[in-house]
Amino acid sequence: MDAFLAGIIAACTPMNLLLAFGGCLLGTLVGVLPGIGAVSAVAILFPFTVYLPAEGMIIALIAVYYGSMYGGSSTAILMKVPGEVSSIVTAIDGYEMTRQGRAGPALAIAAISSFIAGIIGTFLIALLGPFAARLALGFGPAEYLGLGLFSLTAIASLAGRSLLRGAIVAVVGLILVSVGYDEAAGLPRLTFGTNGPLLQGLDIVPVMIGLFGVSEMMRVFEEENAEFISTKIGKLMPNRQELFSGTMATLRATALSFPLGLLPGMLPSVLSFLAYTVEKHFAKNPETFGKGNINGVAAAEASNNAAAMGNLLPLMSLGIPTGPTMALILAALTIYGLTPGPMLFITQPDFVWTVIGSFFVANIILLILNLPLVGLWVRLATIPRGILVPIVIVICMVGAFSVRNSMFDIWVCIAFGLIGYLLQRANWPVAPLVLAYVLGPMIERSARQVYELSPSMVLERPMFWVFIGLSVVSLWFSHRLRRLIN
Amino acid sequence: MPDSARTQPKRLKTIEVGCFLLMAAIVIADGLQFILNPTRNLRAIEVGGYEILVGGLLAILALAYWLGSTPADWERVERSRVTAVSFGLLVAYGLCLQYLGYLVATFLAVATYMRLLGGYPTRVSLLFSTAFTLGSTWVWTTMLVNLPRGMFSTWLIW
């Protein structure tokens, strides 16, 4: 607890506070823009944070992530324009409340639920993080191979409607990340004999910007204009009964979503659907859900934030990203030579606790910042597409170029923009590709180490088999989850 | 997405599977060249073996998808021409960035997007584009972000 408090104090230095504040502001600004979700926001803004020190970079990225999630929820409630998939659930009851002239309480309960779930999640990370890291210290190549395979299986089975499609996309990700010079062997792979930029491989930043930023911008013009109703926010705070009921729904959704968020593939978008369904299922008045029930908004928002916090724990303590945004944050850490995982808690404890402290601070900043500015966010969300698209495209291209100052990365970004667009149109999940992109090198490295040491070593490592067992469970669970949501 | 807005012809599924099989073939072929010529590097078999494993897995999964009951599930888009124009402009912007540099390319791209896809009058598009290009260049250079310079690189001060 002392380390956690020290982390909060370290996160409150003027520079860190400024970065958290700026990140929340910028994240919300990008999150309210139509078609840009949290992943896209982080992907687009990621290259511009590489100029910051490591600590500041992660604080800014986390703040951007939180801010964009909140921004997406605001427009979902006020305009039925969800900034991302997980906000679709918020829009169901939130927009109905707006239609009934209760936009203020809907926005307030969304902010309060997010705050409560975020704070509980931060405490749980502080409590469980060191424990998980100590557990992972005993991991060898076999365990990391099992963990990588489990993560990949889970994300492939949970993202999208078809397991087979998820698996195919994940394998494509494994192939794409293997392009370039293999440093361990000193051999070029899939470079077709060229000595050009292909040898450097396909960097994750232009790949992510293309998949999530550019492809979304290509889709923006296809969508019909959203239905805007004249929004009057009016009284902001819900009444005492609504506040109590919403808080209880928040606690239930947090209790469900945080532990599930620890598992790979359990993204906020999946869990917000699940939490909403469970809340409706056990409600005394399920017929009011979808007609402006405040518990629906609270459950969706709390689940969203609790899952986001749950996703961060395996990243910090095991070095395993559970979703695309976490993959980007992992990439950010590796730029500074920091390898997330158990050793980070030992070699860089100040860094880890400052980052955890910044989660706490970012949650408070969001609560203070967003409710008074909600009118501004609504006006921003109505920026015409004809202006929004070229601006975002320019930012994407500059971001892709700036990481390695390479025109090749701009072409990679454009190509992956097209790939992302086609995948979305064909209803193929994108998340497994990104996760495979990040986990691929770890899986390959572990597999090679196991092969070089002794392939039979996996028989002597029970944790390897635990992870393989978990892979099978995740396949079964995804099947059950699809049935429950449908 | 309502079902009426989706299309599931067999031909699209065949194209999808064809793309994956082609990719698998390329990866397996690349892996084979390491396996068949292992003496040049001790780890060549590991590298090639991994590629063959992953390529083979992709081929098996693609074939399972082809033979399985899951249909191709493409979203039917009414305004796909707009997307084609948007992508064409994006490629043109990439080319302009490479040869003309950020300043000129961004000015042209923003103005063209606004005129063609946003439907703004030419004068408004040009004015906004000029303001955005100069403003964004100032922001990037202040943030020490490198920008593509193109053929005018020697004239630029940043």
Side-chain angles (χ1 to χ4, degrees):
Chain A
M1 192 46 79
D2 288 347
F4 179 46
L5 288 175
I8 293 175
I9 292 166
C12 288
T13 61
M15 184 61 185
N16 287 345
L17 271 180
L18 188 71
L19 287 170
F21 183 83
C24 285
L25 197 70
L26 212 56
T28 312
L29 194 151
V30 177
V32 297
L33 299 176
I36 304 182
V39 190
S40 311
V42 176
I44 292 168
L45 296 173
F46 171 77
F48 307 110
T49 59
V50 297
Y51 299 92
L52 299 169
E55 206 171 78
M57 180 193 204
I58 300 302
I59 291 172
L61 280 179
I62 296 283
V64 165
Y65 181 42
Y66 280 168
S68 56
M69 282 205 301
Y70 186 82
S73 307
S74 301
T75 50
I77 289 169
L78 293 171
M79 301 147 79
K80 211 181 182 180
V81 183
E84 54 176 330
V85 185
S86 54
S87 300
I88 292 172
V89 191
T90 309
I92 299 172
D93 280 292
Y95 185 67
E96 280 306 312
M97 287 180 73
T98 300
R99 287 170 71 104
Q100 294 161 14
R102 296 165 63 221
L107 286 166
I109 202 73
I112 292 166
S113 303
S114 300
F115 174 73
I116 294 173
I119 294 295
I120 293 174
T122 306
F123 275 109
L124 287 172
I125 287 183
L127 201 68
L128 300 174
F131 172 74
R134 270 199 299 276
L135 183 78
L137 270 177
F139 283 13
E143 284 81 5
Y144 273 108
L145 177 62
L147 186 57
L149 290 174
F150 161 54
S151 305
L152 214 51
T153 314
I155 192 84
S157 59
L158 286 164
R161 293 181 185 172
S162 159
L163 166 65
L164 204 50
R165 288 183 184 200
I168 290 174
V169 172
V171 176
V172 170
L174 289 178
I175 290 171
L176 290 173
V177 76
S178 67
V179 173
Y181 195 72
D182 180 86
E183 286 177 7
L187 292 168
R189 290 193 297 196
L190 294 167
T191 55
F192 311 106
T194 60
N195 288 319
L198 216 49
L199 268 179
Q200 297 169 23
L202 310 173
D203 191 83
I204 187 167
V205 177
V207 169
M208 293 283 280
I209 294 176
L211 282 175
F212 293 102
V214 174
S215 69
E216 287 298 336
M217 286 304 105
M218 286 171 73
R219 287 174 66 86
V220 163
F221 282 107
E222 289 175 356
E223 289 161 9
E224 293 296 320
N225 284 320
E227 175 200 350
F228 294 115
I229 61 169
S230 171
T231 307
K232 195 178 176 188
I233 294 166
K235 190 176 86 125
L236 203 60
M237 286 307 286
N239 62 39
R240 193 176 293 178
Q241 193 194 346
E242 284 178 328
L243 195 61
F244 176 74
S245 160
T247 306
M248 294 314 287
T250 298
L251 294 176
R252 285 190 291 272
T254 306
L256 175 79
S257 302
F258 184 85
L260 288 176
L262 300 174
L263 301 172
M266 288 304 219
L267 304 177
S269 52
V270 179
L271 289 176
S272 58
F273 273 103
L274 183 67
Y276 182 84
T277 312
V278 170
E279 188 65 30
K280 185 180 172 184
H281 190 73
F282 291 106
K284 286 178 188 159
N285 47 358
E287 71 283 352
T288 59
F289 278 74
K291 294 174 186 165
N293 190 318
I294 203 162
N295 286 5
V297 180
E301 280 303 299
S303 170
N304 205 355
N305 253 33
M309 297 306 297
N311 285 176
L312 279 164
L313 182 61
L315 178 79
M316 300 291 288
S317 52
L318 304 175
I320 293 289
T322 47
T325 316
M326 296 304 123
L328 261 180
I329 293 172
L330 179 74
L333 285 167
T334 48
I335 284 177
Y336 286 93
L338 297 167
T339 311
M343 288 308 287
L344 199 61
F345 273 83
I346 293 163
T347 56
Q348 305 272 350
D350 293 345
F351 171 80
V352 171
W353 288 109
T354 306
V355 170
I356 293 175
S358 74
F359 301 160
F360 185 85
V361 173
N363 270 295
I364 294 173
I365 289 175
L366 262 183
L367 189 70
I368 298 168
L369 180 77
N370 279 320
L371 286 177
L373 291 180
V374 77
L376 173 69
W377 303 138
V378 173
R379 276 200 293 279
L380 275 173
T382 55
I383 288 179
R385 290 178 289 190
I387 293 176
L388 173 72
V389 172
I391 291 175
V392 176
I393 289 283
V394 169
I395 295 172
C396 287
M397 293 300 117
V398 173
F401 177 83
S402 65
V403 178
R404 297 194 294 195
N405 296 334
S406 160
M407 273 310 295
F408 176 70
D409 286 340
I410 284 187
W411 292 112
V412 169
C413 179
I414 292 173
F416 275 86
L418 182 64
I419 291 169
Y421 170 78
L422 292 174
L423 284 173
Q424 284 184 45
R425 273 203 55 190
N427 206 18
W428 286 73
V430 181
L433 191 148
V434 179
L435 263 287
Y437 213 86
V438 176
L439 291 170
M442 187 190 90
I443 292 174
E444 188 185 354
R445 190 173 52 246
S446 309
R448 277 194 196 175
Q449 285 171 347
V450 168
Y451 172 75
E452 282 170 10
L453 290 169
S454 165
S456 64
M457 74 181 290
V458 294
L459 297 172
E460 300 158 10
R461 310 294 290 195
M463 276 306 284
F464 172 82
W465 295 105
V466 168
F467 287 125
I468 298 299
L470 282 172
S471 306
V472 177
V473 170
S474 75
L475 294 176
W476 171 82
F477 184 72
S478 73
H479 177 67
R480 298 283 301 169
L481 189 65
R482 281 197 187 96
R483 282 181 59 180
L484 180 66
I485 289 174
N486 294 330
Chain B
M1 181 62 57
D3 289 343
S4 58
R6 307 203 72 87
T7 179
Q8 308 178 335
K10 183 95 179 161
R11 186 169 52 88
L12 283 175
K13 190 175 179 179
T14 311
I15 294 171
E16 286 175 353
V17 173
C19 291
F20 292 126
L21 287 178
L22 178 66
M23 189 179 214
I26 292 170
V27 177
I28 291 171
D30 198 63
L32 276 174
Q33 66 157 339
F34 292 118
I35 297 281
L36 299 175
N37 187 15
T39 50
R40 65 179 185 177
N41 189 309
L42 288 173
R43 294 194 172 203
I45 293 178
E46 280 176 28
V47 174
Y50 180 76
E51 281 190 275
I52 292 170
L53 182 76
V54 179
L57 189 60
L58 179 62
I60 292 167
L61 289 170
L63 286 172
Y65 170 63
W66 194 39
L67 298 170
S69 58
T70 313
D73 191 15
W74 282 70
E75 190 181 320
R76 205 191 299 270
V77 176
E78 302 296 333
R79 308 180 69 194
S80 54
R81 194 176 146 269
V82 179
T83 310
V85 172
S86 179
F87 187 70
L89 283 177
L90 184 61
V91 174
Y93 181 42
L95 284 169
C96 288
L97 278 174
Q98 184 151 4
Y99 295 107
L100 302 178
Y102 178 81
L103 217 55
V104 180
T106 302
F107 168 73
L108 291 174
V110 173
T112 316
Y113 261 106
M114 285 181 69
R115 181 73 195 91
L116 284 184
L117 297 175
Y120 288 93
T122 308
R123 203 168 60 171
V124 173
S125 306
L126 290 174
L127 278 174
F128 181 86
S129 181
T130 307
F132 174 75
T133 306
L134 294 176
S136 63
T137 307
W138 178 78
V139 170
W140 303 137
T141 47
T142 307
M143 287 171 66
L144 303 176
V145 172
N146 285 306
L147 298 170
R149 289 162 169 251
M151 62 174 75
F152 305 118
S153 60
T154 50
W155 301 357
L156 299 173
I157 53 167
W158 75 77

